[in-house]
Amino acid sequence: MAKPTLSSKTGTEAKLLQYAETVLAKTTENASIFTEPQPSLDDLSAAIDQFRGSMTEASFRDIRQVVLKNQHATALKEVLYNLSLYVETVAQGDPAIVLAAGFIPSKDLRGPVGPSPKPHDLRAVVRDAGTQSVHVRVDAWKYARYYQFEYRKAGLDESWERILSTRSKIHITDLEYLTEYEFRATYLGPDPALNYSETVRCAVT
């Protein structure tokens, strides 16, 4: 059964923006098929505008604007992911309907039915001391549409910061020096249920 493809089509900022704009245009054009999209097309349009604007501001290499751009990229990916679940429900495996929404249909991978598995072998390491950054990786899963990495300061009951990635490893920057963080990860697959990895800690040096 064909499903909307995400991970291989949003690997760069330019691809993410282009893909999102195509989905918005095609879903709007075929509103008679997609009558009650969730999230709404207004939500998608707003996420696109915010990301496009933040890309322009970040081009001046202002650190704060770069952070905002990354946050808007994550927000846009989340909207696309949730919309892909809606399109998948409408399409019922029909690649023509997936295409009508602007998504690229996947090949029939005979993927598993049910929640995503628990990610294993999560690692967070400092490779370059003094850069206030941490490299995080987890075992890859071939059915993952995205990898959702989360982090926060250790020992504090704060909300988790989220980063969506098309790859099973990321580089998190702009962390606080000499501060310990905790990290976790989950796959975003055909089933929207989240199944988190064990939490690991790493001190930024």
Side-chain angles (χ1 to χ4, degrees), residues 52-67:
R52 185 190 297 112
S54 65
M55 287 177 65
T56 301
E57 294 295 332
S59 64
F60 298 103
R61 299 189 181 280
D62 179 274
I63 294 179
R64 177 177 177 274
Q65 295 300 331
V66 171
V67 171

Side-chain angles (χ1 to χ4, degrees), residues 96-159:
I97 296 180
V98 175
L99 285 167
F103 288 96
I104 302 299
S106 66
K107 296 179 180 178
D108 186 0
L109 297 178
R110 304 292 179 183
V113 177
S116 303
K118 180 178 180 178
H120 293 288
D121 199 23
L122 178 67
R123 302 180 189 179
V125 297
V126 174
R127 293 182 181 173
D128 303 298
T131 60
Q132 297 175 251
S133 63
V134 173
H135 290 263
V136 187
R137 52 90 59 205
V138 71
D139 282 350
W141 183 49
K142 66 179 180 179
Y143 300 110
R145 296 180 178 178
Y146 283 113
Y147 297 84
Q148 180 169 303
F149 294 92
E150 302 185 4
Y151 67 97
R152 66 184 181 183
K153 293 179 182 178
L156 300 179
D157 189 20
E158 296 181 343
S159 59

Side-chain angles (χ1 to χ4, degrees), residues 76-102:
L76 179 54
K77 289 176 182 178
E78 287 181 346
V79 172
L80 278 175
Y81 171 69
N82 290 327
L83 186 59
S84 76
L85 297 178
Y86 164 78
V87 170
E88 184 178 325
T89 300
V90 174
Q92 293 295 300
D94 186 341
I97 296 180
V98 175
L99 285 167

